[in-house]
Amino acid sequence: MATGAPKELLPLARLVIAELSTCLRQAFPRPAWPRLRVVYDESGALAAAAGVAEPGDDTEVAVLVRSGRIVMRAEGYGAAHAAAQHP
């Protein structure tokens, strides 16, 4: 997650993700949990590695990482879905 106002919005994002995670963990058995990792990129280093020059509140970019390498990059609305569907 990246934002133009990290000091203001990242704590709120952490809270929302934590609450959602708590609900989902109670609703689904552990084997059904997806392999998902949310990264809070306060420094912008991950965004730069993904090719995002100026991350902001409107940024929608997803990358698929396999064996420590970016193998797919998608940008725009539906980027996460497009990356997840990559074979």
Side-chain angles (χ1 to χ4, degrees), residues 9 16 18-20 27 38 46 55-56 65 71 82 84:
L9 296 177
V16 170
E19 288 181 356
L20 176 64
V38 177
L46 184 62
V65 179
V71 296

Side-chain angles (χ1 to χ4, degrees), residues 5-28:
K7 293 191 186 301
E8 180 181 346
L9 296 177
L10 285 180
L12 178 60
R14 284 186 179 101
L15 176 63
V16 170
I17 298 283
E19 288 181 356
L20 176 64
S21 297
T22 299
C23 292
L24 292 175
R25 285 185 181 116
Q26 293 174 1
F28 297 97

Side-chain angles (χ1 to χ4, degrees), residues 10-11 31 40 44 55 58-59 83:
L10 285 180
Y40 304 97
D58 295 332
T59 302

Side-chain angles (χ1 to χ4, degrees), residues 43-75:
S43 69
L46 184 62
V52 181
E54 295 183 31
D57 294 341
D58 295 332
T59 302
E60 293 191 34
V61 175
V63 293
L64 179 61
V65 179
R66 288 201 178 121
S67 300
R69 300 189 71 161
I70 295 175
V71 296
M72 199 274 189
R73 179 182 186 279
E75 187 170 345

